[in-house]
Amino acid sequence: MENSKDISMAVVRRLPRYYRYLEDMLARGVTRASSAELSRSMNATASQIRQDLSNFGSFGQQGYGYNVEMLRDEIKKILGLDKEYRLILIGAGALGQALVRYEKFEKKGFRFTGLFDNDPNRIGTFIRDIEVWDVQRLQSFLSGNPVDIAVFTLPRDGAEKALDIVTGAGVKGIWNFSYRDLRISGGTKVESVHLTDSLMTLSYMLSEGNK
Amino acid sequence: MENSKDISMAVVRRLPRYYRYLEDMLARGVTRASSAELSRSMNATASQIRQDLSNFGSFGQQGYGYNVEMLRDEIKKILGLDKEYRLILIGAGALGQALVRYEKFEKKGFRFTGLFDNDPNRIGTFIRDIEVWDVQRLQSFLSGNPVDIAVFTLPRDGAEKALDIVTGAGVKGIWNFSYRDLRISGGTKVESVHLTDSLMTLSYMLSEGNK
């Protein structure tokens, strides 16, 4: 994977979908597939799949096709899913609670180890078996507990301050649901999910359809 | 907006961000901005902003810059945010509840009018002031109540059947959070939010950083 730094984010963003479909195929007992079969399952063109996968080495064999399990394992490794990640949640409102309760994340190796909020009504409550702590304790928590990913589900006004604390403590990944785009310097990686933007994109598509 | 069908989805997906920033600027009392100023606020290059906005007509004036309010209003119209949308939720679990409780959607014109689930523990409960109905009643609800967008927050196994019902009833937009990619024919528009894919993309970025 020496060249993997050159892979475009457009390709990277398709990999989780490939991974999901390969898991599906394995669950159905499919062990081997041609790129045409992958294409039908994945709803992508065979040439795009071949091209995307060729970024990561050579998985297909002429006349045999792809070994589904090997391909799944390789993509798993590329996506960093062969490791475990410790997550904290900052903002334990309805969305934050939903994320902590979503069991699929844990199965993929993403485990919440700390939850923080500034609302006295939430501090001291439990989500699953984890207690919500006062966000004032965030810094001291981070000094004693290594964290890989901080999940931001807090209102925009708190996001900047929380960002300073977590990046200052060396947290390398931010999964950002706050309305604000976070500006990061240094080696921190941010992946944002802007739900409102997504809904607006849908209203654009609906509105286009009516013209 | 005669040509707007030719606008690439890459541009469309940047518009909600522009819209957010323009709203911010108006809230701060900024009424007029050069593309260099927009660029600083929006964290995008001035030339990309100019190029994106030129798809929709000519908003900037040489020597004056952009009228922030006019630009905001135009993007609002392009995004279809000058209309109201009636939403139903299919799957009233933790994530679905969080979406119904998220007040920003309603402020933007997206209003939940029906909630459905198949879990007896959820049927009959209320989220905000809306009762969760048995999903068995979905079809009859749709025959009496026009719906613009169905939000799918249900497990993958229920998604296909729900899809048949809502598309059969003429619902034109699907906001899909289910793990499955939905295959649509006809005029239905689907916008998917795959949270697990997003988290995997972040783990890719973190894992790359450590190599």
Side-chain angles (χ1 to χ4, degrees), chain A residues 149-163:
Chain A
I149 295 171
V151 182
F152 276 44
T153 43
L154 72 173
R156 50 190 297 170
D157 293 333
E160 299 287 334
K161 197 183 164 195
L163 184 64

Side-chain angles (χ1 to χ4, degrees), chain A residues 1 4-7 9 12-13 15-17 19-21 23-24 39-43 56 77-83 85 87 94-99 101-102 104-105 108 110 148-151 156 172-175 177-183 189-211, chain B residues 1 4-7 9 12-13 15-17 19-21 23-24 39-43 56 77-83 85 87 94-99 101-102 104-105 108 110 148-151 156 172-175 177-183 189-211:
Chain A
M1 297 303 104
S4 53
K5 281 202 195 294
D6 302 328
I7 294 162
M9 280 309 290
V12 169
R13 290 197 176 279
L15 291 180
R17 203 169 94 228
Y19 181 73
R20 277 194 276 130
Y21 279 102
E23 292 249 280
D24 272 10
S39 161
R40 272 194 300 279
S41 296
M42 292 176 175
N43 209 10
F56 302 100
K77 213 161 67 187
I78 293 163
L79 287 171
L81 298 174
D82 52 341
K83 309 188 193 84
Y85 297 88
L87 276 62
L95 178 62
Q97 291 176 32
L99 296 176
R101 294 214 161 92
Y102 197 61
K104 222 160 229 136
F105 299 148
K108 296 261 182 292
F110 301 91
D148 303 298
I149 295 171
V151 182
R156 50 190 297 170
K172 287 280 174 271
I174 312 267
W175 200 24
F177 288 81
S178 78
Y179 200 60
R180 188 179 284 278
D181 295 301
L182 299 175
R183 291 178 190 209
K189 310 288 183 187
V190 181
E191 165 75 5
S192 288
V193 178
H194 288 303
L195 295 175
T196 314
D197 288 14
S198 171
L199 192 50
M200 289 186 203
T201 304
L202 182 57
S203 71
Y204 170 86
M205 292 191 279
L206 291 174
S207 156
E208 273 309 279
N210 291 330
K211 271 170 197 162
Chain B
M1 296 303 102
S4 55
K5 280 200 195 295
D6 301 329
I7 294 162
M9 280 308 290
V12 169
R13 289 196 178 279
L15 290 180
R17 204 169 93 229
Y19 181 72
R20 276 193 277 129
Y21 280 103
E23 292 250 280
D24 272 10
S39 160
R40 271 195 302 277
S41 295
M42 293 175 173
N43 209 10
F56 303 101
K77 213 161 69 188
I78 292 164
L79 287 171
L81 298 175
D82 53 340
K83 309 188 193 83
Y85 298 88
L87 276 62
L95 178 61
Q97 291 176 32
L99 296 177
R101 295 215 161 91
Y102 196 61
K104 222 161 228 136
F105 299 149
K108 296 261 181 293
F110 301 91
D148 304 298
I149 295 170
V151 183
R156 50 191 296 172
K172 288 280 174 271
I174 313 267
W175 200 24
F177 289 80
S178 78
Y179 200 60
R180 187 178 284 279
D181 294 301
L182 299 176
R183 289 176 192 210
K189 310 289 180 186
V190 181
E191 165 76 5
S192 288
V193 178
H194 289 304
L195 295 175
T196 314
D197 288 14
S198 171
L199 192 49
M200 290 186 202
T201 304
L202 182 58
S203 71
Y204 170 86
M205 292 191 280
L206 291 173
S207 155
E208 273 309 280
N210 292 329
K211 271 171 195 160

Side-chain angles (χ1 to χ4, degrees), chain B residues 131-155:
Chain B
E131 189 176 357
V132 177
W133 282 15
D134 191 329
V135 72
Q136 300 290 339
R137 297 168 71 182
L138 176 58
Q139 196 144 25
S140 67
F141 177 88
L142 289 171
S143 69
N145 299 277
V147 166
D148 304 298
I149 295 170
V151 183
F152 276 45
T153 43
L154 72 174

